[in-house]
Structures are given as structure tokens and as C-alpha cells.
Amino acid sequence: MEKRVIRSTTGNIPQPIRSDGAGGVDNGPRNIMRDIQNPDMLVPPITDNGLVPNLKFSFSDTSMILKHGGWSREVTARELPIATTLAGVNMSLTAGGVRELHWHKQAEWSFMLLGRARITSVDQNGKNFIADVGPGDLWYFPAGIPHSIQGLEDCEFLLVFDDGNFSDLSTLSISSWFAHTPKEVLSSNFGVPESAFSTIPSGQVYIYQGEVPGAIESQEVQSPYGEVPLTFKHELFKQTPIKTPGGSVRIVDSTNFPISKTVAAALVEIEPGGMRELHWHPNNDEWQYYLTGQGRMTVFTENGAARTFDYRAGDVGYVPFATGHYIQHTGTDTLWVLEIFKSDRFEDVSLNQWMALTPNELIQSNLNVGPELISALRKEKWPVVKYPGFSYIPK
């Protein structure tokens, strides 16, 4: 190979040089598009410090599973090792496409991204459930409860499971169980000839193309035991949001979605110029999914370590238990992000509120600050903040 220095030929290629002169030009082989997407990793803020593990992984960097009837991809602890509490699956079904009848050892929480689908389930007491879901709707199936999903039109959704090591290909599927059970056993169990099972699948079907189902009334099956006592569906967009300057928050946990015993979440809207305030969560790690827009998050951990990451739609973020962080809007469109927790309750501690409810003299002596900051502190929590004249404006 010819020995020569490769130099940039345009002036808009980012370089790892901070405004104070630290760093230098990168003339070697590089993935320039990655550097453009991650400006705060290429040139970390001067306040970043120490060693913080990777807290970002994009669904775009995962392997797609393509089936007739839809596709899926997942981000688990295999892709993002720090993410031990939760795993995520991004799935799409065609109109009529079916995620076959199955169940998991983990609970399933889902957010409908686009399109409509039909979900069904039966609980341990023989009580059944059927519902149609659309954009912004949630569903939750407890661990061990069988269920199915079918597209009423082309649709896409996010599935979250309360175990970071979960894989959607490791589920227990009705087709796989039939395939690995002797036909004479199936015959004895159902009271029909073995010939009734001559055309069953040879293995797990996972996703397949079916016919678009009729109206929900035409598919309802009446159980002698009735319907499930707690609905598996929740319409998040029907909640009245917490509105603050800069955006809004909708919180969903077992207090308003009682069946959701192991997953809690907040849907956060951050307008241009706004930010998710400095805060932390005292109950568990946070698993994030970025829906629209662009943002950056700095996570502050023990011993003064801090690291900044850039996120955009389709990315997964992660925040370890009780570590301080914020999300700052860095794009032009509204930033929407899901904050998800392995917990029955959503809990967060606001840095601003904590300071406001602490004796002023203690704050002043601890931080060596004056009345200008003390008088601006708020006793009410604002999850998203925006102050005229103090907002970040993308360059």
C-alpha cells in the first residue's frame, strides 16, 4: 500500500478538536457519517470525565429477522451489555401478518408506533381478552400469559421485556410445541385422530402472513369464566399530560395501568430549546427509546465520572440506577423519548426541587452560590424545562 497521508478535502468534515485547542486533526481511516451523528463523542464536552460504559445502541445496527408477514429486530444485553434490566424488540407486521400464539418467561410491555393491530390473550383462570390497538396505545402481558398479535393494517411497535438477556427467538411458541410433541400424544390430548396433525409446522413459525381479520365482534369468543379482571390495554394518548414550558410528560405505571406490575414508563416530549431537567431515578435503571428528533444526554456517575451521548430516532439509551442525567434537545423537530423502568412505579428525583426544598443557607455554603440561583429554584417539579434566553440553540 502506498505510504501517504489522507487529508480531508472539504471544510465541513468534523475533527476531534475542542474550541480550547485540545485534540487534533484525524487524517486516518474513519467513518465520517458516524462522527457527524455523534458530535459529542467525537468532541466530548470539557465536563465529561472518567470512564463510563457505553449507554447507546441503535436498532439500525441490529440484524433484521425477515418473515412473510413482517420483521423484527432486538436490542438486548448481548448488544448493550449495561442493559441488564430490560430488553427491547422492534417489530412490524403486514396487514394480516401474525406474531403467532406464544408466551414468555418475561412480562411483555408494548408501545404502538404506527398502524393498528389486534391482540388476544387468555389468563391462568380461563378468562380471555381481545382488543384492537393503535398509535400511542400500550399493552402488557404478565409473564407466562399466552397471547398473539395480528396486523389489521401495516403496523409497527416496540416490545419491552423485563429481563435484559431476553431474546424474542427464545419464546415458547404453539407451533414449536406441536412440532416437538409426538402425534400420538397430541391425539390423546385433543381426542382426535393423529391424521388431524399431518400438516402442522415442522418448527417455530414466529411470524406468518394471514388474512386480515374481520370486525372484532366477529372474532370474540365467549369464555364461560368471563373476561380478564384487569385490562391488558392502555390508551396513553388519552391521558392528560403534565405540561411545562418546554414540553410535556405522560406517566404510566401500576397506578393507572394496574396490570403493569413490572414495567413503568414515561413518554417525554421535548420541544426545541427545551431539556429533560437534571434528575435521577431512585428505583431502577432506565431504558430509553428515542421516537423522533435528536438529543444528547450526559450521565453523571460515581467518582465524578460523566459521559455524553448523541441520540436520534430509533436509538436505545440506558441510564444506570440512581445516576444523574439530563436530555437536551439538539435538533429542529420535537424530540419524543420513552423512559422505561423495571418497576411497578415511575419515580424520579429533581435536582432543582431537591435544592429548593433544602435550607437556603446549606445550598449557598455547599455550592458557594448567591441569591441569583437561590431565588430561581422551584419547589414544584418541572420534568421538562425551557427558559427564555437560556435555551440551547443548535449550530
Side-chain angles (χ1 to χ4, degrees):
M1 181 178 178
E2 180 184 356
K3 294 182 179 179
R4 60 191 179 93
V5 176
I6 303 172
R7 298 187 183 279
S8 66
T9 57
T10 62
N12 58 0
I13 294 178
Q15 297 293 348
I17 304 173
R18 192 180 286 126
S19 59
D20 62 1
V25 174
D26 180 359
N27 285 318
R30 31 181 316 206
N31 188 329
I32 294 174
M33 293 305 298
R34 279 293 199 214
D35 290 338
I36 291 173
Q37 290 183 359
N38 297 287
D40 292 288
M41 295 177 72
L42 182 68
V43 184
I46 198 168
T47 47
D48 278 12
N49 181 58
L51 300 176
V52 175
N54 180 46
L55 302 176
K56 172 187 175 181
F57 200 91
S58 176
F59 271 108
S60 294
D61 291 331
T62 64
S63 177
M64 296 282 275
I65 299 169
L66 306 179
K67 296 284 187 178
H68 294 288
W71 54 258
S72 73
R73 52 189 175 179
E74 61 187 29
V75 174
T76 73
R78 179 183 58 246
E79 290 78 22
L80 188 59
I82 190 69
T84 58
T85 60
L86 298 166
V89 175
N90 181 205
M91 184 175 290
S92 176
L93 295 174
T94 61
V98 179
R99 173 64 175 100
E100 71 162 317
L101 280 75
H102 66 286
W103 71 100
H104 318 279
K105 295 181 179 180
Q106 300 82 9
E108 174 181 307
W109 183 99
S110 183
F111 181 86
M112 200 70 184
L113 297 169
L114 56 89
R116 296 185 308 121
R118 179 164 296 162
I119 54 176
T120 71
S121 183
V122 176
D123 74 5
Q124 67 275 20
N125 297 312
K127 298 176 184 292
N128 62 353
F129 177 82
I130 184 169
D132 291 345
V133 289
D137 290 345
L138 313 178
W139 69 77
Y140 180 92
F141 296 122
I145 297 299
H147 53 279
S148 70
I149 313 165
Q150 183 171 18
L152 298 173
E153 56 192 49
D154 289 354
C155 61
E156 186 176 341
F157 41 90
L158 175 73
L159 301 166
V160 178
F161 299 87
D162 58 1
D163 180 355
N165 291 301
F166 169 88
S167 174
D168 202 40
L169 292 179
S170 298
T171 57
L172 297 106
S173 300
I174 191 171
S175 60
S176 185
W177 198 5
F178 266 58
H180 297 287
T181 301
K183 288 184 174 59
E184 63 267 24
V185 174
L186 293 172
S187 174
S188 297
N189 187 81
F190 292 101
V192 296
E194 291 184 29
S195 59
F197 307 100
S198 60
T199 58
I200 62 174
S202 59
Q204 179 176 249
V205 172
Y206 188 56
I207 293 173
Y208 68 92
Q209 183 62 55
E211 298 294 328
V212 177
I216 196 168
E217 295 78 15
S218 69
Q219 287 207 313
E220 287 181 319
V221 178
Q222 298 300 317
S223 169
Y225 307 102
E227 298 180 355
V228 295
L230 297 175
T231 181
F232 294 150
K233 171 185 173 181
H234 180 77
E235 296 175 308
L236 185 59
F237 284 163
K238 287 190 175 180
Q239 282 185 215
T240 301
I242 301 169
K243 291 285 293 182
T244 63
S248 69
V249 176
R250 290 176 173 86
I251 296 170
V252 56
D253 58 20
S254 60
T255 61
N256 54 6
F257 189 20
I259 193 66
S260 189
K261 300 294 186 184
T262 64
V263 179
L267 177 61
V268 180
E269 172 199 18
I270 307 174
E271 299 169 356
M275 64 177 282
R276 178 72 168 95
E277 68 161 350
L278 279 75
H279 68 286
W280 69 94
H281 304 278
N283 55 341
N284 216 323
D285 296 5
E286 174 182 339
W287 193 96
Q288 302 169 335
Y289 180 70
Y290 288 79
L291 295 155
T292 65
Q294 294 177 219
R296 66 180 176 192
M297 175 173 69
T298 297
V299 177
F300 167 75
T301 71
E302 301 91 335
N303 300 316
R307 187 177 176 187
T308 303
F309 298 84
D310 298 285
Y311 299 90
R312 59 183 60 215
D315 287 347
V316 171
Y318 201 80
V319 183
F321 163 67
T323 55
H325 58 287
Y326 64 87
I327 304 172
Q328 193 170 33
H329 189 292
T330 59
T332 55
D333 299 325
T334 298
L335 173 63
W336 287 87
V337 58
L338 277 167
E339 302 177 357
I340 308 173
F341 307 84
K342 184 177 180 178
S343 176
D344 65 335
R345 295 290 182 92
F346 174 89
E347 296 179 356
D348 70 344
V349 178
S350 162
L351 176 62
N352 195 321
Q353 187 181 50
W354 172 37
M355 293 171 62
L357 297 174
T358 299
N360 292 346
E361 296 80 7
L362 190 57
I363 299 297
Q364 289 175 313
S365 63
N366 194 143
L367 294 175
N368 193 29
V369 295
E372 184 178 30
L373 173 61
I374 298 299
S375 62
L377 296 175
R378 293 185 322 275
K379 295 179 181 179
E380 299 78 22
K381 184 185 295 184
W382 285 7
V384 183
V385 296
K386 181 179 180 180
Y387 299 99
F390 296 97
S391 297
Y392 173 79
I393 301 176
K395 297 179 182 178

